[in-house]
Amino acid sequence: MWSFALARLAGVLGLAVLLGLIFGQLWLWLLGLSCLYAAWQLIDLYRLDRWLSTRPKTDPPDMGGVWGGVVAQIVRLNRRKRFHKQRVLSLLRELRRSTAALPDGVIILSRHREIHWFNPPAGRLLGLKRGLDIGLRIDNLIRNPEFVKYLHGERFAGPLVIRPPKPGECYLSIQAVPYGAGQILMLVRDVTRQMQIEAMRKDFVANASHELRTPLTVISGYLDTLAEDPGVDPAWAGPIHDMRSQTQRMTLIIGDLLELSRLESTEGEAVRDPVDTGALLARLHRDALARGDRPAQVELSIESADGLFGSARDIESAFTNVLVNALKYTPATGSVHMRWWSDAGGAYFSVADTGIGIPEEHLPRITERFYRVDPGRSREQGGSGLGLAIVKHALQLHGGQLDVHSVEGKGSTFTCEFPLVRVWRRPERAVAEAAAQSAPRAKSA
Ligand code: ADP
């Protein structure tokens, strides 16, 4: 193409030289034919420009030479672009059709939390309107405080369940999935049915436990009387002893079930009463030392004077359960170390023991209700299988979590972690006082 164009230019110039030699005025002929050549090129350029500005509607101009080649290139590029565009469009249509067919809501949010797109179920569940709400910030439309907090959180751990604003509306589970450069894919599900079943289950457990408590108290009272009655045939001593220990076990299970129901039915977050954790732990330490069946060493180190803002009852319940487990699952020759400390990220209570440990495969499930690594052993130790479920719930109500490290046969460390918002910062002076309070007792273990 280019050699043809060069040959044509050379031909024009050659013709001008020939005409100049024949008729004289060589420079004039050269100038005249060059101008004609330039005008010809300009006309082609003009036709190309016209076609480019009306491209989709008109056929490409029929041009030869270099310009014809350029037109052919443009047509080829255009065809390729159209093909890719069609492919992307059909993929997009397919994607939209499939997300529209989903029973769950899907919303795409920009990094500034503006709504980019949503499918019909999301519109129905959240009351969004296609024409009006696209481009608006979602937290201006859904003003539920828990939702706003979740949306602006750093991590989107687990789905958030939001309660219906009015009775009769649905419970929604919202899961945000970050992607790309800060955009968010938000999945919305109606979980009203699951919540109703869950509420029924909780009510049933709470009511059944409550109803069982009174008859059990009566039975246990009579058994105590019988055990102390000298008139009872000594042959009954063994069965009465067994019956008493079984009723004690039932009382313990019912107590734990009621505690768990209480924690589960607590609405929202735990209260924010100041709790002096150092004093609480010193008391738990004293109680642990007073137990006859405890391991040889039970130590407490309080490394921070900070306390917690929370429910004293729930915090005590969580700490007691973790501690009692360590005492139960550690042999008499072992040791248990309780530790309280805080840092820039929050506050922590850990209990490290040198007990039987937990095989790794059981770790993910030990906070489930009634989950026991060794049911026989747990029962033998007077365990209900509910202790760690209580700990998990109590911590969750405080925005905290339970961290477990354990090696079978070597021991375990359970750490209750509390977020910074729950930490009650206290002056350093109090650290020394708290340490002085706990140190002599720690050594007495
Ligand atoms: P339980 O009443 O049976 O102790 P928990 O919910 O408190 O129930 O604990 C669940 C299971 O986790 C226990 O049955 C036990 O197998 C295991 N576990 C808990 N704490 C410890 C520990 N400190 N050392 C070893 N195993 C433990």
Side-chain angles (χ1 to χ4, degrees):
M1 190 171 74
W2 282 102
S3 42
F4 179 69
L6 283 175
R8 198 152 57 180
L9 180 60
V12 171
L13 293 176
L15 182 67
V17 171
L18 190 70
L19 289 171
L21 288 177
I22 296 171
F23 301 106
Q25 307 271 18
L26 175 66
W27 291 111
L28 261 184
W29 281 108
L30 268 174
L31 182 70
L33 283 190
S34 298
C35 285
L36 266 179
Y37 187 76
W40 180 22
Q41 297 299 315
L42 267 178
I43 290 171
D44 273 356
L45 194 59
Y46 172 76
R47 288 173 65 203
L48 179 65
D49 179 54
R50 297 279 309 160
W51 172 64
L52 282 177
S53 51
T54 59
R55 191 157 40 90
K57 289 179 209 128
T58 52
D59 287 340
D62 185 14
M63 290 190 286
V66 178
W67 297 114
V70 171
V71 168
Q73 290 257 34
I74 294 173
V75 168
R76 210 174 311 126
L77 281 176
N78 197 24
R79 211 173 286 148
R80 202 182 304 159
K81 193 188 92 188
R82 248 200 333 248
F83 170 74
H84 286 299
K85 197 167 147 189
Q86 281 302 330
R87 226 169 60 154
V88 171
L89 269 176
S90 71
L91 261 175
L92 196 68
R93 263 187 228 120
E94 186 110 333
L95 193 73
R96 287 200 171 176
R97 264 202 301 268
S98 54
T99 46
L102 277 175
D104 297 341
V106 181
I107 308 172
I108 293 177
L109 300 178
S110 73
R111 57 201 294 257
H112 302 296
R113 314 302 192 241
E114 289 143 351
I115 302 175
H116 256 358
W117 177 85
F118 59 86
N119 68 349
R124 189 166 33 78
L125 291 170
L126 293 172
L128 303 176
K129 289 177 196 72
R130 191 154 290 277
L132 291 176
D133 296 336
I134 297 277
L136 296 187
R137 281 180 64 114
I138 193 160
D139 44 354
N140 285 342
L141 300 169
I142 301 163
R143 291 179 170 272
N144 179 298
E146 282 176 45
F147 174 73
V148 175
K149 196 167 148 203
Y150 177 73
L151 193 68
H152 293 282
E154 300 261 300
R155 309 174 285 162
F156 299 112
L160 165 82
V161 175
I162 49 179
R163 291 161 193 287
K166 289 180 222 139
E169 290 183 2
C170 43
Y171 279 87
L172 296 179
S173 151
I174 294 185
Q175 170 79 68
V177 186
Y179 73 96
Q183 292 102 311
I184 292 173
L185 180 77
M186 193 166 261
L187 306 168
V188 189
R189 281 177 64 206
D190 177 356
V191 288
T192 314
R193 181 91 190 108
Q194 286 99 307
M195 293 305 284
Q196 281 167 346
I197 294 172
E198 182 73 354
M200 265 160 54
R201 183 191 63 75
K202 283 183 197 162
D203 286 352
F204 172 76
V205 173
N207 291 338
S209 318
H210 198 75
E211 291 298 324
L212 283 172
R213 201 155 64 163
T214 317
L216 205 59
T217 315
V218 176
I219 294 172
S220 140
Y222 278 122
L223 284 173
D224 289 347
T225 317
L226 282 175
E228 279 153 27
D229 187 347
V232 175
D233 185 345
W236 279 96
I240 289 175
H241 175 265
D242 289 350
M243 282 190 277
R244 279 181 83 194
S245 63
Q246 290 305 323
T247 43
Q248 271 161 10
R249 226 173 77 71
M250 274 175 78
T251 311
L252 185 102
I253 294 174
I254 285 173
D256 278 355
L257 274 174
L258 284 170
E259 177 70 358
L260 194 58
S261 302
R262 184 186 67 77
L263 290 167
E264 282 183 334
S265 59
T266 306
E267 300 263 317
E269 289 192 344
V271 291
R272 288 178 173 270
D273 298 336
V275 181
D276 182 349
T277 343
L280 166 66
L281 290 175
R283 179 159 56 78
L284 294 185
H285 184 220
R286 276 198 299 277
D287 294 348
L289 294 177
R291 284 171 69 124
D293 54 351
R294 70 174 167 88
Q297 258 189 316
V298 181
E299 293 175 345
L300 166 67
S301 17
I302 295 186
E303 296 162 23
S304 163
D306 292 342
L308 289 170
F309 287 116
S311 149
R313 183 174 172 186
D314 297 355
I315 293 170
E316 177 166 351
S317 180
F319 288 4
T320 308
N321 274 298
V322 175
L323 175 62
V324 167
N325 275 349
L327 300 174
K328 268 191 324 200
Y329 299 109
T330 305
T333 50
S335 69
V336 170
H337 189 118
M338 299 151 75
R339 187 173 164 227
W340 169 251
W341 78 102
S342 62
D343 62 19
Y348 315 86
F349 168 61
S350 75
V351 179
D353 65 54
T354 57
I356 58 170
I358 302 164
E360 205 181 335
E361 67 270 20
H362 292 281
L363 285 177
R365 299 195 56 192
I366 53 165
T367 53
E368 287 174 19
R369 293 177 194 93
F370 294 115
Y371 190 86
R372 290 134 157 162
V373 175
D374 178 349
R377 186 166 195 153
S378 160
R379 262 182 222 116
E380 214 176 89
Q381 303 279 0
S384 66
L386 293 167
L388 291 181
I390 292 176
V391 175
K392 186 175 130 188
H393 268 86
L395 294 182
Q396 270 173 358
L397 287 174
H398 291 80
Q401 59 185 23
L402 181 68
D403 182 59
V404 187
H405 284 280
S406 189
V407 180
E408 193 180 2
K410 291 238 161 79
S412 323
T413 304
F414 285 75
T415 310
C416 304
E417 302 176 348
F418 294 89
L420 204 55
V421 284
R422 288 283 177 177
V423 180
W424 174 25
R425 291 276 182 227
R426 296 169 73 206
E428 275 310 305
R429 177 169 46 85
V431 182
E433 284 168 22
Q437 224 184 10
S438 68
R441 288 187 188 107
K443 288 208 175 69
S444 73

